[in-house]
Amino acid sequence: MRVLIGGGSGFVGRELTRLLRDKGHEVTVISRQSGPGKITWGELESHGLPPCEGAVNLAGENLMNPLRWWNESYKKDLFSSRIDTTKSMAQAIAASSSPPQSWVVVSGVGCYKPSVTAEYTEDSEWTPFDILSKLVKEWEASALLPENVTKNTKQVVIRSGAVLGRDGGAMKQMLLPFWLGLGGTLGSGRQPFPWIHVSDLAGLIAHALEPPSATPSPSPQVFNGVAPVLNTNLEFTKELGRVLRRPTIFPVPGFVMNTLMGSERAVVLMQGQKVIPKRTQEAGFEYKYPDLSSALKEIVGS
């Protein structure tokens, strides 16, 4: 199978590329620079979709980029980097004489309203209530294919939780304070913390890329890309401290997070949702890292 990956040089993209190549698939990455096994976004727009059986978009400015101040220009980049690239790929698929069998977009669980009681499955209804849920709405809408194309191309949306892995994502900024013994809960620590190991997210995308067994549905299949356990920020903090053998006694107050990150962005860490991967499990997906202990041991190498 040949797979086209938008944003294939990012954290999740590198893991997915490695996995697909290990399985014997060919991978072409769309990135800003051209090179072996790569095309640019400009080439996609001018030459159309290269031959492929599967397409995935992972492109987007990092929401947790510690080097970017939370301001209007950054917010604009968060939207345009996701929506414009997704739209470019969807348009190229729609215009192709031989569209791929599967088209996968990875969005986020930020569409579900934070709550310490509500539980969300893929069937839960939601409406945008803040900037991040508005982003998910526009992002997923920009991926939709015309109905005549969906007769041959399966559409899949994976809503990912916080992606945990060794060389990027949420862990990158967390490990140093924890190593220094300065790790602690964020706010009360009671907020749910939906997460997934990067290997499992890559595995779920690969699973979603498999050719459809029946005529695809005109609307996308949605999968929650989260581990099959419900954890709180406190449980995550304690487990990471245990695996690193470091104390976790310095809670970070909410106002500090709001000041450092901007309150609209800090919501991701200070509040959370109980997200259940009901359809993911029903589809027969098997997790390599189904619980925090196995995931964190792999990441910190103990």
Side-chain angles (χ1 to χ4, degrees), residues 68-223:
R68 296 284 308 263
W69 195 245
W70 187 252
N71 55 24
E72 290 310 312
S73 120
Y74 182 32
K75 289 183 219 178
K76 198 162 162 253
D77 286 352
L78 280 179
F79 274 71
S80 63
S81 63
R82 286 163 175 75
I83 292 161
D84 297 351
T85 55
T86 303
K87 209 174 271 179
S88 290
M89 288 186 75
Q91 285 169 348
I93 290 167
S96 172
S97 55
S98 56
Q101 297 162 326
S102 305
W103 160 227
V104 181
V105 172
V106 178
S107 67
V109 294
C111 58
Y112 306 123
K113 200 164 195 171
S115 167
V116 290
T117 52
E119 292 187 353
Y120 298 98
T121 70
E122 293 87 347
D123 299 315
S124 301
E125 300 214 342
W126 61 278
T127 46
F129 56 90
D130 68 356
I131 186 168
L132 297 177
S133 53
K134 186 168 176 281
L135 170 59
V136 173
K137 190 81 171 173
E138 291 184 28
W139 190 357
E140 292 183 3
S142 66
L144 293 173
L145 299 173
E147 205 165 311
N148 62 316
V149 183
T150 64
K151 290 181 174 69
N152 301 307
T153 302
K154 171 177 74 169
Q155 306 179 90
V156 180
V157 169
I158 296 174
R159 294 182 183 145
S160 164
V163 185
L164 306 183
R166 201 178 289 226
D167 53 355
M171 294 300 295
K172 210 169 185 177
Q173 284 111 48
M174 286 181 199
L175 281 175
L176 182 62
F178 272 86
W179 273 119
L180 296 172
L182 301 173
T185 53
L186 301 176
S188 71
R190 289 197 306 269
Q191 68 272 33
F193 180 68
W195 63 274
I196 188 167
H197 189 287
V198 67
S199 295
D200 282 328
L201 182 55
L204 181 55
I205 297 167
H207 191 271
L209 281 168
E210 286 168 13
S213 50
T215 307
S217 146
S219 51
Q221 290 180 308
V222 177
F223 294 104

Side-chain angles (χ1 to χ4, degrees), residues 1 3 5 12 19 28 34 55 60 72 77 115 135 145 177 277 290 293 296:
M1 181 165 71
V3 181
I5 306 178
V12 178
L19 174 67
T28 302
S34 58
E72 290 310 312
D77 286 352
S115 167
L135 170 59
L145 299 173
S293 179
L296 293 175

Side-chain angles (χ1 to χ4, degrees), residues 14 32 36 51 64 76 97 177 263 280:
R14 292 192 302 273
R32 286 189 283 257
M64 292 298 165
K76 198 162 162 253
S97 55
S263 57
T280 304

